[in-house]
Amino acid sequence: MEKNLILSVKNLTKTFDKLEVLKGIDLDVYEGDVVAIIGPSGCGKSTFLRCLNCLEDPTGGSIIFHNEDLADMKVDINVHRQKIGMVFQQFNLFNNLTVLDNITLAPITVAKKNRAKLKTKNFFIKLGNIFKKKEAKKPLYDLGKTIAEIKKDAENKALELLTAIGLEDKASSYPSQISGGQKQRVAIVRALAMNPDVILFDEPTSALDPEMVGEVLSVMTDLAKRGMTMIVVTHEMGFAREVANRVIFIDDGVIVEENEPNEFFKNPKNPRLKDFLSKVL
Amino acid sequence: MNVDMKLLWDKFIDALIEKNGYKVVLEGLYNTIQIAVLGLLIGIVIGTLIAIVRVMPKYKVLPRILDKICGCYVELFRGTPMMVQLLISYNVLLPLMGISVDSGLPVAIVVFGLNSGAYVSEIMRSGINSVDIGQMEAGRAMGLTYTTTMMKIVVPQAVKNILPTLGNEFIVLVKETSITGYVATIDLTRAFTKLAGPSMSYIIPYLMLGVSYLVIVLLISWGVRSLEKRLKKSER
C-alpha cells in the first residue's frame, strides 16, 4: 500500500554554540505513522522534535513538509506550524485563557487573518475595477464565513473535541483549576483543533502524576487508532511497544536503531540500545 | 509663633467657598487626575511597545536597530528630571516649532506619557520575562505570530504580574503632577497656592493640599489592591 509522505527529514544537524546536539538525522514519516522516539536523557531527542517545527532553528539539513523546506529561513514557518501540532511536557496551556479559549484561539486568529487578507485583496480588485470596462472587471474573492460564524464554528468544534475526552464541563475553567492529566488532554485537543497533518509530542506524560499518565496515554492511543500521524518522544516503553508502529532509538545525536516495535524490544541489535533497554524495562 | 488657627480656618473657608475658590481646586484636581491617568495610559502603550522590542529575539538587523533606539529613549527620559523635560518641552521645543498654547496641560500630558513610557517599559520588560517561556513556545508552535502571541498571551499575564508596580508608577505620576504648575497648568498644587494667594496665609491651604494628595494616593492603592484580587481569581 502506498502511503503519503508527510515529513521528510534529511541530514538534520543542530549545534548550540559549540555543542553538537544533532549530528545528522534522516527520517521519513508517512501518513498514519506513530513514531516513538526513545533514548537516554540529553541524547537530543527533544531537540530533534523541536527542530521539526523550528522551535529550535536547525543548523543544517532539511525538513520537507508540504513540498517546502522548513529549515529554510525564508519559508513562512507560521503557515506550516498551523498544520504541525505540538504537545509539550509542561502542557503550556495559556494561563490567562479559559479551556475553551485555549482551544479556539489559534483557529479563530488564523481564520480571521486569512479573511482580512482576502478583504484587502478585494479592496484592491475593486479599486482596479473602477477603471475597467464592465466585461473586463475582475471577480472578487469569496470571503466565506463571517467573523461571528468563524467564532461559532470554532467553539462548536472545540466543544465537540472536549466532549470526546469527557471534559466538556471544564470548558469555562481556567488551566489552574484543572488537574495535570486534564491539562495535557486539553493540550492535545488544542493541537487537534487546527486539523494538523502531524502532531509532535514532547514527553507528554513525564510531568504527570503516575495516576494521570493512563488517561493521557489513552487519548493518544485513540488518536493513533483514528490514523493521526504522530511523532512521540517518550519514556513510556509500554506506549512505544503497544501503539507505535515504528520505534527509534537516538543516542548521541544520531539514530542508532530503528525497527517495528516487536523486533525493536525483543531483538535489539545495537549494544547501546541493549544496555538502555536493560535499564528501563 | 502665635497662630490663630480659628481665624486662618475661617479665611480658608472664605476663600474656598465664598470667593468660589472651590472651582479652582476642582479644576486643579481634574487636571492632576487627567495628567496622571492619560500619562499612565500613554506610558503603558509606549512602555509595552518598547518592552516587546527589547525582549524580541535579535537575529535580524531591524530588531537590533529598534532595540538601540528604544535603549536611547529609555536612558534619555530616565536620565533627566521630569521637571527639566517639562521646561524644555514648554519653553524650548514649543517656541522652536512655532506653536503657542494657552495652557501647558497638553504639554504636561505628553511629557508625562513619554516619561512614564520609559519607566513602564522597564517594568513591563521584567513582567514579560516573568512569564514562562513555554507560553510563547505554545503560541508559536500553533502558527501564531510573535506579535499575536505576545499581545494575546504573554502581555496579559505580564500585566497581572506587574500590577502592583504599575500602581506604584501611577502614584508617582499623581504626585509628580505637582510640578506642572511651572508650565502654566492649574494642577492641585497650583490651585491651592492660588487659593492662599490673596490672603497670604498658606498654612491651612498647604496642609489641605497634603491631605488631598494623601487621600488620592490611598484611593489608588486601595483600587489597585482590589483589582489585583479580582485578577487573581483566574489563577489559583
Side-chain angles (χ1 to χ4, degrees), chain A residues 224-265:
Chain A
K225 276 186 191 146
R226 278 188 281 139
M228 174 58 74
T229 314
M230 298 156 66
I231 305 176
V232 189
V233 169
T234 186
H235 293 299
E236 294 292 331
M237 295 306 144
F239 177 83
R241 198 200 309 244
E242 306 298 329
V243 185
N245 67 334
R246 297 163 67 189
V247 186
I248 285 172
F249 179 67
I250 294 185
D251 189 31
D252 202 20
V254 287
I255 294 183
V256 178
E257 187 156 339
E258 179 188 346
N259 216 330
E260 54 93 22
N262 259 329
E263 271 300 293
F264 185 93
F265 287 104

Side-chain angles (χ1 to χ4, degrees), chain B residues 3-228:
Chain B
V3 186
D4 186 350
M5 287 306 270
K6 176 80 176 65
L7 181 71
L8 289 178
W9 181 255
D10 287 343
K11 266 188 183 172
F12 174 69
I13 294 297
D14 180 58
L16 190 67
I17 295 167
E18 301 298 324
K19 301 209 171 87
N20 283 336
Y22 67 92
K23 280 186 184 159
V24 187
V25 170
L26 284 181
E27 190 193 347
L29 179 68
Y30 177 68
N31 285 345
T32 285
I33 302 283
Q34 202 180 350
I35 295 168
V37 170
L38 292 180
L40 185 70
L41 288 181
I42 298 173
I44 288 176
V45 172
I46 294 179
T48 308
L49 291 177
I50 293 181
I52 291 178
V53 168
R54 303 204 79 182
V55 297
M56 215 183 257
K58 306 203 169 39
Y59 305 125
K60 293 182 189 150
V61 184
L62 185 68
R64 250 182 267 162
I65 296 173
L66 285 176
D67 182 55
K68 283 275 170 326
I69 296 173
C70 291
C72 290
Y73 175 94
V74 172
E75 293 310 331
L76 185 70
F77 277 92
R78 282 200 313 183
T80 53
M82 179 123 68
M83 179 79 180
V84 175
Q85 294 162 16
L86 266 180
L87 290 175
I88 291 179
S89 308
Y90 189 72
N91 296 318
V92 181
L93 293 181
L94 277 191
L96 274 181
M97 290 190 288
I99 304 169
S100 65
V101 287
D102 316 330
S103 151
L105 185 65
V107 182
I109 291 174
V110 171
V111 170
F112 269 65
L114 292 175
N115 182 287
S116 129
Y119 285 93
V120 173
S121 77
E122 288 299 292
I123 299 171
M124 191 66 85
R125 188 159 70 137
S126 72
I128 289 174
N129 286 334
S130 75
V131 176
D132 180 25
I133 183 89
Q135 299 283 309
M136 175 55 88
E137 283 183 351
R140 296 309 309 276
M142 288 195 294
L144 301 177
T145 60
Y146 179 84
T147 322
T148 308
T149 316
M150 212 41 164
M151 296 318 276
K152 291 203 167 160
I153 306 300
V154 179
V155 169
Q157 293 180 50
V159 168
K160 205 183 285 181
N161 293 346
I162 60 171
L163 207 66
T165 331
L166 269 187
N168 202 33
E169 171 69 11
F170 187 35
I171 288 170
V172 169
L173 284 183
V174 168
K175 292 187 295 183
E176 283 277 289
T177 55
S178 57
I179 61 172
T180 55
Y182 287 95
V183 291
T185 307
I186 311 265
D187 73 302
L188 206 54
T189 304
R190 186 94 185 136
F192 273 99
T193 310
K194 263 187 154 183
L195 197 70
S199 59
M200 297 294 281
S201 53
Y202 290 99
I203 297 176
I204 301 283
Y206 278 174
L207 285 176
M208 295 312 284
L209 173 63
V211 171
S212 313
Y213 278 118
L214 191 61
V215 169
I216 298 175
V217 169
L218 288 177
L219 280 175
I220 295 172
S221 316
W222 173 77
V224 171
R225 264 202 306 277
S226 46
L227 190 63
E228 238 179 292

Side-chain angles (χ1 to χ4, degrees), chain A:
Chain A
M1 198 175 76
E2 190 77 8
K3 277 182 175 176
N4 288 330
L5 189 62
I6 298 263
L7 201 65
S8 174
V9 182
K10 292 259 177 333
N11 195 28
L12 187 74
T13 57
K14 173 70 185 173
T15 319
F16 288 108
D17 292 322
K18 285 194 180 106
L19 183 70
E20 207 180 4
V21 182
L22 300 180
K23 299 172 180 168
I25 290 193
D26 298 282
L27 180 69
D28 284 340
V29 179
Y30 294 89
E31 193 174 351
D33 267 359
V34 177
V35 182
I37 301 175
I38 62 173
S41 61
C43 70
K45 54 193 192 306
S46 275
T47 305
F48 170 62
L49 200 71
R50 290 162 60 84
C51 278
L52 291 183
N53 64 353
C54 295
L55 275 187
E56 306 286 356
D57 287 315
T59 313
S62 66
I63 303 161
I64 307 296
F65 179 73
H66 286 183
N67 297 322
E68 284 202 85
D69 182 6
L70 303 187
D72 183 354
M73 292 293 273
K74 287 183 203 103
V75 168
D76 183 2
I77 187 69
N78 290 327
V79 175
H80 296 293
R81 277 176 177 159
Q82 288 159 18
K83 290 292 162 197
I84 306 177
M86 181 140 189
V87 174
F88 297 86
Q89 181 178 359
Q90 300 294 340
F91 329 127
N92 291 349
L93 290 186
F94 303 132
N95 294 325
N96 59 326
L97 300 179
T98 61
V99 165
L100 188 70
D101 289 339
N102 259 282
I103 302 169
T104 57
L105 175 71
I108 291 178
T109 311
V110 168
K112 266 187 178 170
K113 224 168 230 176
N114 291 338
R115 192 173 186 277
K117 264 185 209 158
L118 286 183
K119 237 178 161 177
T120 321
K121 274 187 192 163
N122 275 351
F123 173 77
F124 285 108
I125 293 175
K126 271 185 199 163
L127 213 64
N129 279 348
I130 295 174
F131 306 104
K132 284 186 181 128
K133 283 181 191 147
K134 218 173 196 175
E135 53 275 14
K137 282 192 194 303
K138 271 198 201 166
L140 298 180
Y141 288 99
D142 180 18
L143 289 184
K145 296 183 231 171
T146 64
I147 289 178
E149 280 169 349
I150 290 173
K151 276 188 186 154
K152 192 109 201 43
D153 286 3
E155 271 166 26
N156 285 343
K157 176 155 193 216
L159 283 174
E160 204 176 286
L161 288 166
L162 276 177
T163 311
I165 57 165
L167 287 180
E168 67 277 16
D169 55 327
K170 299 286 183 198
S172 54
S173 304
Y174 283 91
S176 52
Q177 295 162 333
I178 60 178
S179 75
Q182 290 171 332
K183 277 185 204 172
Q184 197 59 300
R185 279 146 68 199
V186 170
I188 294 173
V189 163
R190 179 173 71 172
L192 279 177
M194 296 292 285
N195 291 323
D197 294 329
V198 52
I199 302 185
L200 314 175
F201 292 82
D202 188 3
E203 303 193 21
T205 56
S206 297
L208 291 174
D209 290 343
E211 52 178 333
M212 290 170 180
V213 171
E215 56 185 271
V216 171
L217 286 182
S218 87
V219 170
M220 290 169 63
T221 309
D222 253 23
L223 266 184
K225 276 186 191 146
R226 278 188 281 139
M228 174 58 74
T229 314
M230 298 156 66
I231 305 176
V232 189
V233 169
T234 186
H235 293 299
E236 294 292 331
M237 295 306 144
F239 177 83
R241 198 200 309 244
E242 306 298 329
V243 185
N245 67 334
R246 297 163 67 189
V247 186
I248 285 172
F249 179 67
I250 294 185
D251 189 31
D252 202 20
V254 287
I255 294 183
V256 178
E257 187 156 339
E258 179 188 346
N259 216 330
E260 54 93 22
N262 259 329
E263 271 300 293
F264 185 93
F265 287 104
K266 265 190 201 135
N267 295 316
K269 289 172 192 78
N270 186 283
R272 273 182 297 179
L273 174 57
K274 278 181 194 164
D275 181 49
F276 178 76
L277 287 180
S278 71
K279 278 178 191 153
V280 294
L281 286 182

